[in-house]
């Protein structure tokens, strides 16, 4: 098998293991490239359908193109979509930097989803190469019932032996894409023909490399207007994938504080 075949096989195994071991399971879907790959892998793992709900934690502040993508592919992929609204900015921790407070809205919105639907596990499309705090994650990551994460108390994972046991009063985050890289995602999108938002492709010398809320996410300079051009660009770039996310330029500990509190 080549690298993409190996990654696909591992992710499908993780998805099936989660479905077999976790009683009440859902998948987070932000309609970005990573979570679209995750939905695609789930459809492969379960013979053309996603057998659990997908959750969009909605700030109400995405770009119109992102919402249009959500509405179209919810229908085309036959997804059972749960939209969890986020509370206003005033409900967040005022000691966080402004951009991080926007991220904290999503944390509170997700906690509301967990409280309402009582999911035992959530599948998320994070990757270790995205950001330093995410590099500390496990594939099966136990959390407190409210989603809080103690990154100093995570089970070891050797040779794809995953700990799927739930502690009383806890739930599990499952990360099937943890070992993928950004360029792996794009090569897989190209190979499989997976739909992605038009915002990823350059227009007027700008494109989005990572999609978030419209007031805290900014395009990068780029002429990459095709999948081939995006992959070629990534083969040489030294710029961080999340360089266009204002939250990632906040105080050094802000992202880790959000992750520990349950941020996606």
């Amino acid at each position: 098998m080549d690298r993409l075949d190996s990654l696909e096989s591992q992710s499908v195994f993780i998805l099936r293991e989660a479905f077999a071991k976790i009683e009440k399971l859902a998948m987070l879907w932000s309609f970005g490239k990573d979570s679209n790959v995750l939905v695609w892998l789930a459809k492969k793992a379960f013979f053309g359908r996603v057998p659990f709900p997908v959750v969009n934690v909605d700030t109400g502040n995405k770009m119109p193109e992102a919402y249009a993508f959500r509405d179209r592919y919810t229908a085309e992929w036959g997804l059972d979509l749960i939209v969890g609204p986020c509370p206003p900015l005033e409900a967040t921790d005022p000691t966080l930097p402004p951009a991080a407070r926007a991220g904290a809205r999503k944390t509170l919105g997700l906690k509301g989803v967990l409280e309402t639907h009582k999911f035992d596990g959530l599948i998320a499309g994070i990757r270790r190469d995205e950001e330093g705090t995410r590099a500390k994650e496990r594939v099966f990551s136990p959390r407190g019932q409210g989603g809080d994460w103690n990154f100093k108390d995570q089970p070891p994972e050797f040779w794809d032996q995953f700990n799927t046991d739930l502690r009383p009063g806890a739930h599990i985050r499952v990360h099937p894409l943890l070992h993928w890289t950004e360029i792996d995602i794009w090569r897989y999108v190209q190979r499989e023909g997976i739909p992605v938002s038009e915002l990823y492709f350059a227009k007027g010398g700008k494109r989005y490399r990572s999609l978030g809320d419209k007031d805290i996410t900014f395009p990068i300079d780029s002429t990459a207007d095709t999948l081939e051009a995006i992959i070629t660009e990534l083969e040489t770039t030294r710029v961080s994938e999340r360089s266009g996310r204002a939250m990632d330029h906040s105080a050094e500990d802000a992202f880790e504080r959000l992750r520990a509190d349950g941020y996606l």
Side-chain angles (χ1 to χ4, degrees):
M1 293 192 297
D2 67 12
R3 176 172 172 80
L4 292 182
D5 289 331
S6 179
L7 288 169
E8 178 188 75
S9 178
Q10 181 188 47
S11 297
V12 164
F13 170 78
I14 291 166
L15 287 163
R16 289 174 174 166
E17 186 78 355
F19 186 63
K21 297 293 179 64
I22 301 172
E23 183 174 352
K24 195 167 184 183
L25 185 65
M27 175 184 288
L28 298 170
W29 185 42
S30 68
F31 18 100
K33 63 186 187 303
D34 302 285
S35 61
N36 291 345
V37 165
L38 201 52
V39 171
W40 194 266
L41 288 166
K43 287 167 67 69
K44 283 201 169 191
F46 303 107
F47 310 103
R49 59 181 289 269
V50 179
F52 34 72
V54 297
V55 175
N56 169 219
V57 181
D58 186 17
T59 62
N61 201 28
K62 293 280 190 181
M63 286 168 268
E65 295 90 340
Y67 287 119
F69 187 97
R70 179 189 70 182
D71 295 342
R72 174 179 175 180
Y73 286 98
T74 296
E76 287 196 18
W77 288 340
L79 302 178
D80 176 12
L81 176 65
I82 295 172
V83 177
C86 296
L89 194 68
E90 292 74 24
T92 63
D93 182 353
T95 69
L96 286 168
R101 290 186 72 185
R105 290 185 64 212
K106 293 178 69 177
T107 304
L108 294 175
L110 181 57
K111 288 183 176 184
V113 169
L114 289 173
E115 185 176 344
T116 300
H117 296 277
K118 311 297 183 187
F119 291 121
D120 298 314
L122 288 173
I123 301 166
I126 69 165
R127 309 186 325 268
R128 284 200 175 105
D129 73 325
E130 285 181 272
E131 188 275 330
T133 302
R134 286 174 169 159
K136 302 174 184 178
E137 280 283 11
R138 301 290 191 269
V139 174
F140 284 79
S141 173
R143 307 291 178 118
Q145 192 58 50
D148 52 293
W149 174 50
N150 183 355
F151 60 87
K152 296 179 180 179
D153 183 24
Q154 294 290 297
E157 291 181 333
F158 301 117
W159 307 292
D160 286 351
Q161 299 299 305
F162 305 121
N163 181 6
T164 58
D165 294 330
L166 273 173
R167 303 171 184 171
H171 83 118
I172 286 183
R173 296 281 174 87
V174 184
H175 305 122
L177 301 182
L178 207 55
H179 300 95
W180 295 56
T181 66
E182 183 185 10
I183 200 167
D184 291 330
I185 292 291
W186 282 112
R187 286 172 175 159
Y188 191 71
V189 165
Q190 182 185 46
R191 188 184 85 171
E192 299 288 309
I194 301 172
V196 292
S197 171
E198 64 191 84
L199 294 166
Y200 287 115
F201 300 98
K203 293 179 181 177
K206 299 278 186 179
R207 76 176 185 91
Y208 288 90
R209 196 165 156 198
S210 179
L211 301 183
D213 282 0
K214 60 187 177 184
D215 56 347
I216 58 171
T217 308
F218 307 100
I220 62 167
D221 293 330
S222 174
T223 58
D225 57 359
T226 65
L227 289 173
E228 293 81 0
I230 288 173
I231 291 166
T232 298
E233 180 181 84
L234 293 178
E235 287 172 340
T236 58
T237 188
R238 298 176 65 87
V239 177
S240 167
E241 176 182 0
R242 292 175 64 94
S243 60
R245 294 281 195 111
M247 187 174 70
D248 288 60
H249 302 285
S250 299
E252 184 176 348
D253 69 337
F255 200 96
E256 188 162 288
R257 287 169 63 189
L258 287 176
R259 293 286 295 165
D261 194 39
Y263 181 72
L264 311 183

